């Protein structure tokens, strides 16, 4: 992990992006590849029939910018993937496992692209080369030797294409298990559960065009400037069209305050634009209390002005309103407001904006989902939209902002530990076998099962499982108990060093790599966070002839494992169009897939809630009664959330700066309210230890440096994965099992005052 030897702390800037973001982006990519190669890939990035950014899932506009349809962090993502430097057999000869474990995550990622399949056998200290045939045979032999298919778990990251994801879930179910945990379990699973219960669809209901038609946009628990920067351009356009924007987030994030669009003269040379009309710094995980307070006030206003609610929509399209209303009016408003940590005037200002507007978009990120009551958070937000009739109309609706570029597409393709009956019936009908019907393991369930030695083989397609998962030490112990761990990866990462008794690294192609079969260049498809399916096609040769595409890797593992004649795996990978034909037969919404995907803009998947139809059991949108955080703090306890730095995407560390928060050359920091710091006799740069005790187990992380910051009293923020050891494996959201990484109780202990920073 990265220490703080050269840590520097400055005041955060007044705005984000602008010419500085352009300079840093270009500097970053030119350091890792020739300028000619960099210019070529940037020219194609997020363009029609070009290369889809391997970063976030924010949609591309219909009219693409000729200057470049990408952001600073998109450039960093593509630089990581397409860098010239490589990691081959000689690298592993030089570096032992113990040597690599001592390196930081940033250092590991900067070593380059993987070029050869590698194996670590029991008792060995170094990874060694292995042929693809031997690697596939090793996997097949281990899987066939299990006493039950549920002794294997097949993990997926959001980078995976639709084609690879479809083959992966088909293989797992032919093998006999629904153990298909994925990165959605750790981020937006709470959104999917909540939206399915209330609206009948796990996906958001808005399109990109809705942002320019909205009257009010609510942004909950997000930091777009770092996690999906192109969203700021959409918010800027909405502002110019007259929309009001309210940000609700504990930390004051400068990207939600002031934005300088590098695509405009005003952004490059002028003052930019103010994003948020109001910024409400609610205490960590008190969003339900805030929403209840606002809706309580709306109901009181509606007693005199009934038209502020969409009573016709409520009557015709929803169920459960009276029970919801009675529950809400029974609340003690003063208690609700006190929990939020906000002034009543702030809550009144938000209430007034909502009362006077009907075209409302609610956006949210993991600031709402990664809590024990994460599902309640989303359902309460849906309640607000239902009161206003802000579902199923232009300029209004739900907008869960997904993190990884195809995490939503993976789910659409069937990557799910709790698959629908409809999907399993289609698989049975099309492929002539009976897929398993019992629920499989989510990420947390899979970690527990590995720890109990119920899962003995772990296969990860993409991602950095051990770094992304909660309770780092527990997860590492779980992985080490496996007989075999397999990671299908583009780059070296921490998970390769937290391995089973035998470990395989299988080098895969990324978005920028060109896959040619029988003289024909193949493309794959992805789905963005608003349900648009489009193609992405590589433009560069792979790092070596031994690097394979993910569909080919999955097909070859399946051939080595399954004794069947239902699927001709070789036929499917001869032409990816053959895979899409099977997707068309199996997944709703993909009719004429191979024809429709030829359209430069791709095509939109059906979305019932987008048009005001609700596929719930009662065919209504359902009001719900939801719980607030039940996480009382003891004396001297804080509530801690984990977050990303600006030089980071998920577990990929691009650099050691977080310039939008004024942190440079280090990641072991804890952001703390200035008054809290003073009360604990802490100054900027002081070294502290964070610790907690859940279920009689103490968890400790040492070496954090204090950064006084603008966030509510009693709240702390840290980076992940550095703070993941403090997140207990059993602390997870009800129903969704999403780790509660953003509301963890901790205490602090002063280690030693630091030098001046």
């Amino acid at each position: 992990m990265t220490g703080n030897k050269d840590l520097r702390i400055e005041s955060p800037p007044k705005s984000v992006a602008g010419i500085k973001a352009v300079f840093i982006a270009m500097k970053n990519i030119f350091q890792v590849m020739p300028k000619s190669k960099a210019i070529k890939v940037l020219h194609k990035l997020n363009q029609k029939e070009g290369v889809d950014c391997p970063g976030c899932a924010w949609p591309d506009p219909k009219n693409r910018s000729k200057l470049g349809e990408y952001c600073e962090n998109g450039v960093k993502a593509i630089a990581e993937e397409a860098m010239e430097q490589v990691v081959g057999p000689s690298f592993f000869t030089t570096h032992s496992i113990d040597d690599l474990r001592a390196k930081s995550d940033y250092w590991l990622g900067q070593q380059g692209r993987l070029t050869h399949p590698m194996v670590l056998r029991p008792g060995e200290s170094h990874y060694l080369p292995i042929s693809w045939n031997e690697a596939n045979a090793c996997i097949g032999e281990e899987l066939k030797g299990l006493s039950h298919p549920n002794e294997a778990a097949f993990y997926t990251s959001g980078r995976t294409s639709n084609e690879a994801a479809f083959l992966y879930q088909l293989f797992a179910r032919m093998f006999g298990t629904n153990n298909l945990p994925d990165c959605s379990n750790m981020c937006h699973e709470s959104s999917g559960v909540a939206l399915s219960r209330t609206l009948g669809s796990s996906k958001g209901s808005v399109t990109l065009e809705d942002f320019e038609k909205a009257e009010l946009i609510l942004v909950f628990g997000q930091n777009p400037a770092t996690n999906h920067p192109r969203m700021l351009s959409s918010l800027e356009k909405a502002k110019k069209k007259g929309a009001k924007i309210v940000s609700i987030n504990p930390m004051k994030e400068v990207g939600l305050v002031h934005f300088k669009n590098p695509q405009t003269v005003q952004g490059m040379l002028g003052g930019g634009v103010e994003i948020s009309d109001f910024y409400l710094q609610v205490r960590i995980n008190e969003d339900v209390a805030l929403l209840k307070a606002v809706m309580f006030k709306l109901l009181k206003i509606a007693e005199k002005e009934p038209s502020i609610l969409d009573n016709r929509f409520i009557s015709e399209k929803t169920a459960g309103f009276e029970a919801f209303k009675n529950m809400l009016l029974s609340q003690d408003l003063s208690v609700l407001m006190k929990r939020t940590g906000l002034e009543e005037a702030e809550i009144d200002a938000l209430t007034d904006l909502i009362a006077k507007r009907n075209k409302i978009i609610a956006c949210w990120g993991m600031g709402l989902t990664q809590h024990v009551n994460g599902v309640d958070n989303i359902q309460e937000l849906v309640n607000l939209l239902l009161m206003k009739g802000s579902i199923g109309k232009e300029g209004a609706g739900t907008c869960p902002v997904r993190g990884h570029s195809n995490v939503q597409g993976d789910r659409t393709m069937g990557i799910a530990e709790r698959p629908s009956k409809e999907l399993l019936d289609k698989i049975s009908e099309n492929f002539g076998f009976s897929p398993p019907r019992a629920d499989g393991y989510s990420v947390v369930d899979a970690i527990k099962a590995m720890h109990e030695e119920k899962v003995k083989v772990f296969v990860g397609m993409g991602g950095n499982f051990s770094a992304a998962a909660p309770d780092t030490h527990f997860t590492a112990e779980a992985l080490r108990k496996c007989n075999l761990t397999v990671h299908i990866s583009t780059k070296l990462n921490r998970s390769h060093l937290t391995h089973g008794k035998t470990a395989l690294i299988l080098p895969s192609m990324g978005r920028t790599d060109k896959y040619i079969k029988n003289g024909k260049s193949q493309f794959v498809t992805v789905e963005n966070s608003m349900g648009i399916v489009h193609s992405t096609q590589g433009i560069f040769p792979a790092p070596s002839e031994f690097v394979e595409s993910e569909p080919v890797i999955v097909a070859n593992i399946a051939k080595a494992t399954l004794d069947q004649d239902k699927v001709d795996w070789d036929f499917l990978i001869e032409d990816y169009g053959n895979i899409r034909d099977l997707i068309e037969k199996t997944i709703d919404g993909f009719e004429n897939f191979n024809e429709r995907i030829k359209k430069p803009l791709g095509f939109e998947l059906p979305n019932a809630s987008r048009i005001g139809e609700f596929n719930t059991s009662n065919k209504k949108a359902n009001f719900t009664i939801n719980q607030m955080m039940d996480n009382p703090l003891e004396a001297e306890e804080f509530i801690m959330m984990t977050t990303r730095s600006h030089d980071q995407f998920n577990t990929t560390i691009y650099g050691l700066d977080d310039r939008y928060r004024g942190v440079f050359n280090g990641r072991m920091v804890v952001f703390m309210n200035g008054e809290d710091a003073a009360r604990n006799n802490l100054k900027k740069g002081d070294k502290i230890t964070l610790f907690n005790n859940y279920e009689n187990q103490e968890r400790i992380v040492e070496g954090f440096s204090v950064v006084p910051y603008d966030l509510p009293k009693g709240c702390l923020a840290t980076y992940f994965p550095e703070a993941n050891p403090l997140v207990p494996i059993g602390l997870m959201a009800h129903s969704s099992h999403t780790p509660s990484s953003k509301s963890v109780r901790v205490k602090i202990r002063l280690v030693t005052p630091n030098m001046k920073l």
Side-chain angles (χ1 to χ4, degrees), residues 415-428:
I415 299 291
E417 79 281 5
R418 293 181 281 187
S420 68
K421 179 180 182 298
E422 292 75 17
L423 172 65
L424 297 180
D425 287 346
K426 274 287 188 181
I427 289 174
S428 178

Side-chain angles (χ1 to χ4, degrees), residues 61 71 115 145 246 320 500 521 525 568 585 597 645 661 694 709 711:
C71 64
T115 62
V246 179
S521 180
T525 62
D568 186 341
K585 292 175 61 178
I597 201 61
S645 78
R661 297 188 183 119
Y694 282 85
Y709 203 79
L711 76 169

